[in-house]
Amino acid sequence: MTTALEPALSVRQVLALDRVLAGEPEVVAGAGHLDRSVRWVHVAEAADVGVMLSGGEMVLTTGVLLAGDPDAQAEYIRSLHRAEAAAVVLGLGRAFPAPPEVMRRAAERCGLPMVVLHRPFPFAELTEEVQSRLVRHKFAAVSLSEAVRTALTALITTGAPLQRLLDEIAVHAACPVVVTNLAHRVLATAGERSAVDDVLRDWDRIARQAWGYPGPSGTGGGGEGDGWIRAELGGRGERWGRILLCGHRGDAATGRLLADRAAEALVLHRMLGGPAHSWEEESAQGLLTDLVSGVVPARQLLPRARAAGLPVNRRTFVPLVVRGGDPAQLDRVLRLLGLPGLVAQLADGATALLLSLPRDQDAEALAGHFATRLRHETGEPATVAAAAARTAWDDVPSGLREALHVAEAAADTPADEDRPVLVRLRDVHLRGLVRLLRDDPHVQSFAERELDGLLCGPREDPRLLPVLRTYLATGRNKSRTAQLHHVSRPALYRRLEAIQARLGVDLDDFEQAASVHIALLAHDAQRR
């Protein structure tokens, strides 16, 4: 449920109250400043009332001590301006039967709203009405603050993820919520999906407006205003991000309160969560996961990618996947090479990387360079699976799925074989095709039927299946197979004879050996 807070009173709203309207108010100066907030209403006849104010007061007076002294009248207005009063209301009567021109001109010069009341008006009624409204507003603000803090703290203590906190904040704010790093790159969002997409589509302009950094013309943005309310994220003297309420429709004080409570909660969440899984990683993970799944059309994800800092205009996209890769290591190599891209760990231990390259660069060569540098930096025989480069953003999801498929097929390569640095679809051959068909019921039945003699039965020998796997993977090389299994040639021959007897095949026959090999590849793919 959306949290609502009655807006604080402005000068304009005070003048619209029924009790004030009964006095026939007329704005004679400062009409352009009627949206100033009224913090309090103060009845004062003293000529030096300005020294008693602290800002934001609406001063009510009859001007009885100012009549006949133009200098005192002008100074009275100037003192209210220096004290940052919200407005001055002059009741016409014995002291001033008509609006005093000196006070009016002074108020106009100062930009101070000046209102005269043409009918007698009991000031006590106005002060009572306004003060009660202001007190109710302050009480509601305190209640709102505690309600938001309690809700967010409860989520944090139960280990809720960042997105859950932002969803709660968006409910209270009733507007899109965006979290960025210091470079204004979007890390997370919350709110109604269509409204969030509208914000991200125009993110460059909104960031300039919200933070006031120079736009194309060299002029700064407007900073906070019109519902764009920001708060800094950080602690111990260091800032590391910002939260922005985009187009908050309530009054500024309510928006500021919500932004401050949200910032407090996000800082606490980050401190308790630790650096193991940063918001930057979560942002990239969410985007790449959505691209791979295909649940959300790629075109709808384009604003998120652009707001996350990924170059998307006239680019070549190269999807890469590393099985068991460390996202931090991949990101470090990416930065060492100066290549723009997103890195994230997906399901099943696969780490995906989406490179975004200028179209005049050699995408294949850079992918190979990255894979070589990664193996050099990690000191491990990591293999990078690469899909064919895509020049259209709409083709990126299929590219990521292709890279995942290649990575899975390459992972089935026997450990004794030399692992290439970079693997593409053309390199996985039959193993890749079997991977694609592994869930087909006909393929599953075929694998079970071909290998039934080794997989079932009371005399199952766990040594035979690994020997068969190595024998076929080495191109039926008996010497190599015996060496890898640390057995003598006669012992290997006996095992091969047992395998052929159980399967009812002749492994020296190419077609029969190929059939068993395909069945074994399908069996291994299904087990994975």
Side-chain angles (χ1 to χ4, degrees):
M1 188 171 98
T2 301
T3 300
L5 183 62
E6 182 182 346
L9 289 173
S10 65
V11 174
R12 189 187 308 277
Q13 290 170 319
V14 171
L15 298 180
L17 296 176
D18 290 339
R19 294 188 180 182
V20 180
L21 291 175
E24 297 182 8
E26 178 189 1
V27 179
V28 297
H33 304 276
L34 297 181
D35 291 320
R36 288 180 175 178
S37 294
V38 176
R39 189 181 61 83
W40 207 244
V41 176
H42 191 69
V43 180
E45 298 294 351
D48 58 350
V49 66
V51 299
M52 308 174 190
L53 306 180
S54 58
E57 294 90 350
M58 174 179 277
V59 177
L60 311 180
T61 183
T62 61
V64 66
L65 300 180
L66 303 174
D69 190 343
D71 292 338
Q73 295 170 21
E75 177 56 27
Y76 181 81
I77 295 297
R78 289 193 294 267
S79 69
L80 294 181
H81 172 64
R82 289 193 297 268
E84 299 182 349
V88 58
V89 178
L90 175 66
L92 299 181
R94 219 176 329 170
F96 291 103
E101 187 62 21
V102 172
M103 294 179 69
R104 191 198 66 77
R105 286 198 304 267
E108 194 65 50
R109 284 194 298 268
C110 294
L112 176 70
M114 180 177 173
V115 182
V116 297
L117 300 174
H118 290 278
R119 294 177 63 87
F121 185 87
F123 285 166
E125 291 185 8
L126 175 58
T127 56
E128 180 183 5
E129 170 109 6
V130 174
Q131 312 303 41
S132 64
R133 287 174 179 260
L134 293 174
V135 168
R136 286 200 303 271
H137 182 272
K138 289 180 182 295
F139 179 77
V142 172
S143 298
L144 172 61
S145 177
E146 288 307 308
V148 173
R149 180 183 279 122
T150 300
L152 296 179
T153 302
L155 290 174
I156 293 172
T157 54
T158 57
L162 171 65
Q163 189 60 53
R164 182 67 187 87
L165 264 69
L166 293 181
D167 290 340
E168 182 72 17
I169 294 166
V171 168
H172 287 286
C175 68
V177 176
V178 176
V179 174
T180 76
N181 62 13
L182 295 181
H184 308 296
R185 292 186 176 182
V186 175
L187 305 180
T189 62
E192 186 182 347
R193 190 72 259 167
S194 60
V196 171
D197 288 344
D198 288 342
V199 169
L200 296 184
R201 272 191 289 271
D202 202 17
W203 179 245
D204 288 342
R205 182 192 63 79
I206 287 173
R208 284 194 299 272
Q209 175 181 342
W211 280 281
Y213 59 88
S217 63
T219 59
E224 287 195 5
D226 297 328
W228 305 101
I229 301 172
R230 66 182 185 269
E232 302 292 331
L233 304 176
R236 298 174 183 173
E238 181 182 3
R239 291 186 298 115
W240 35 259
R242 299 179 175 95
I243 184 171
L244 177 67
L245 307 186
C246 303
H248 181 256
R249 295 179 181 176
D251 67 289
T254 304
R256 164 53 48 200
L257 182 150
L258 290 170
D260 289 343
R261 293 296 83 77
E264 291 173 4
L266 295 185
V267 169
L268 180 59
H269 179 273
R270 177 112 168 187
M271 290 173 61
L272 295 178
H277 202 55
S278 72
W279 293 352
E280 288 83 356
E281 291 173 359
E282 288 187 23
S283 173
Q285 184 181 55
L287 177 59
L288 292 181
T289 299
D290 286 347
L291 283 168
V292 170
S293 69
V295 174
V296 182
R299 181 60 52 183
Q300 293 183 20
L301 297 173
L302 186 59
R304 279 175 59 187
R306 183 183 290 112
L310 185 73
V312 294
N313 294 330
R314 299 188 59 79
R315 308 290 287 191
T316 297
F317 303 101
V318 183
L320 305 174
V321 170
V322 181
R323 294 286 302 181
D326 180 0
Q329 288 182 331
L330 270 67
D331 188 60
R332 184 174 66 253
V333 173
L334 200 66
R335 294 178 186 275
L336 285 173
L337 297 177
L339 298 175
L342 294 177
V343 181
Q345 191 168 40
L346 305 181
D348 301 327
T351 299
L353 190 157
L354 181 61
L355 293 178
S356 174
L357 307 173
R359 290 189 177 177
D360 58 353
Q361 292 187 349
D362 189 336
E364 185 160 352
L366 286 174
H369 186 38
F370 172 84
T372 303
R373 185 63 178 268
L374 177 65
R375 182 171 290 191
H376 173 75
E377 291 292 328
T378 61
E380 299 176 357
T383 297
V384 177
R390 265 64 173 174
T391 55
W393 175 257
D394 287 344
D395 296 332
V396 168
S398 64
L400 285 167
R401 290 191 287 270
E402 178 184 315
L404 278 169
H405 164 64
V406 173
E408 291 177 352
D412 288 338
T413 304
D416 61 285
E417 293 188 14
D418 291 333
R419 296 288 181 89
V421 175
L422 189 70
V423 181
R424 297 187 178 277
L425 189 60
R426 61 176 177 266
D427 301 318
V428 294
H429 306 297
L430 179 61
R431 199 179 302 274
L433 176 63
V434 172
R435 266 274 170 185
L436 287 175
L437 301 175
R438 64 182 175 179
D439 294 327
D440 188 293
H442 296 91
V443 174
Q444 294 173 356
S445 298
F446 168 77
E448 292 174 2
R449 183 172 62 251
E450 289 290 303
L451 301 175
D452 181 67
L454 293 181
L455 300 177
C456 305
R459 295 169 48 234
E460 181 180 348
D461 189 340
R463 300 174 300 172
L464 298 183
L465 198 62
V467 167
L468 175 62
R469 184 180 291 110
T470 304
Y471 180 62
L472 295 174
T474 58
R476 295 181 292 175
N477 187 321
K478 294 183 176 68
S479 297
R480 180 64 174 156
T481 302
Q483 179 185 6
L484 290 172
H485 284 271
H486 307 289
V487 298
S488 64
R489 289 283 293 267
L492 175 66
Y493 294 157
R494 287 193 296 272
R495 294 186 187 180
L496 290 176
E497 289 171 358
I499 290 171
Q500 293 181 105
R502 293 194 178 195
L503 297 181
V505 299
D506 179 5
L507 293 179
D508 289 330
D509 181 88
F510 175 79
E511 184 174 342
Q512 293 183 54
S515 180
V516 173
H517 192 190
I518 293 172
L520 189 57
L521 290 176
H523 170 72
D524 290 344
Q526 290 161 12
R527 290 184 63 188
R528 282 186 181 275

